[in-house]
Amino acid sequence: MKTRVIKVDAQQPDPGVIEEAAAALREGKLVAFPTETVYGLGAHALDERAVQKIFDAKARPATDPLIVHIAHVGQVSQCAAAFPANARKLALTFWAGPLTLILPKKPVIPDLVTAGLPNVALRAPSHRVARALVETAGIPIAAPSANRFSRPSPTSAEHVKADLDGRIDLILDAGATDIGLESTIVDFSVDPPVVRRPGGLNYEQIHSLVPDVVLETGTGTESEAQVAPGQLARHYAPRAELTLYEGDPALVVRRIGADVRTAVAQGSKVGILAPEEDLTALAPIVASTASAGRVEVRPYGSRPDLERAAREFIAALRELDASGVNVIFASSPGREGLALAIRDRLSRAADGRIKTIV
Ligand code: TXA
Ligand code: MG
């Protein structure tokens, strides 16, 4: 299959292009499109054959359910059998935006979409291309992140192409996404509601509106990470072996420095993924003669500017991985605000290799 890439303006998408992509979706084809979080791989959510193509293209196990994208809160009743008051409150406050709600599903949603679960995940994205597409298609659109299964989510059309070229019909290219982290998932099929995945909407903001919400996230170990179907620990995985460092920032930097020296001495090619301030502190080790040609560094924003950290994080991880390093040492951004979601993705990529230094 030849994958077409069509450029589209992120602010004012050409209606002709949107109509063409919407028609492709209605016909059961696969279309990758930008959302404000990451690129999604869309298919007609009510067409089982179309949905099956998503699993095939991504090599995604059928046990991992898909998020269904809708145009606005009024469309919830088409897909969900119940809409608890607190879920409605969050939707009215944060949609369109990086929030996904898990609700009891209506029979119209195929079991394939929900991996056989009685609940469906719904989200109204705010990106103008995504909105125009869902509105114009006139159908709910099932869309997981547009990456190969277990790879980091794509924040650009180039990332989508790198993973899925030749496997999908169309990519709408509107440049890099704004937020760079997937949506925050809140599960209202249980009481109290549970945050299943921290993401582009801060936990603190959800908690201030729904105080009884509980935070439950994978911490990197297989048992703890299995809280939501599809939330496998080994996710967002780079090819290189990634170790996550967290704790006191000054001690973390010293420990990474020591581990870089050891790894280089053992013949490794080392990547360092860290906020800018950590890389500044590590500069002398990176510049040392022993490290020449053996250490690659990629900053992801800085702790005082977590929005930029989120935006840059996945591209930095993908670039570092593509540079041919065999180990990556990553420094945690902390757990406040958006840092919680970045740290969650790093802990999944680390697959249990987490060093806490205090
Ligand atoms: O920002 C996002 O959420 C992006 C964009 C494209 O919207 N989508 C995304 O989808 O990240 P995906 O498939 O990569 O992650 C969806 C996750 C699943 O892995 C699963 O953990 C959870 O959402 N999920 C979906 N449906 C569910 C359900 N019925 N019950 C529990 N969890 C569900
Ligand atoms: Mg995904």
Side-chain angles (χ1 to χ4, degrees), residues 35 37-40 58 60 64-67 69 100 102 114 117 119-121 123 143-145 153 181-183 185 197 228-231:
T35 82
T37 57
V38 300
Y39 275 71
K58 286 190 54 135
R60 181 177 173 114
D64 196 0
L66 308 176
I67 295 176
H69 295 68
T100 295
I102 296 179
T114 64
L117 294 165
N119 311 310
V120 63
R123 161 162 133 77
S145 50
S153 291
L181 288 170
E182 303 85 345
S183 62
I185 301 178
R197 177 177 75 183
Q231 292 287 78

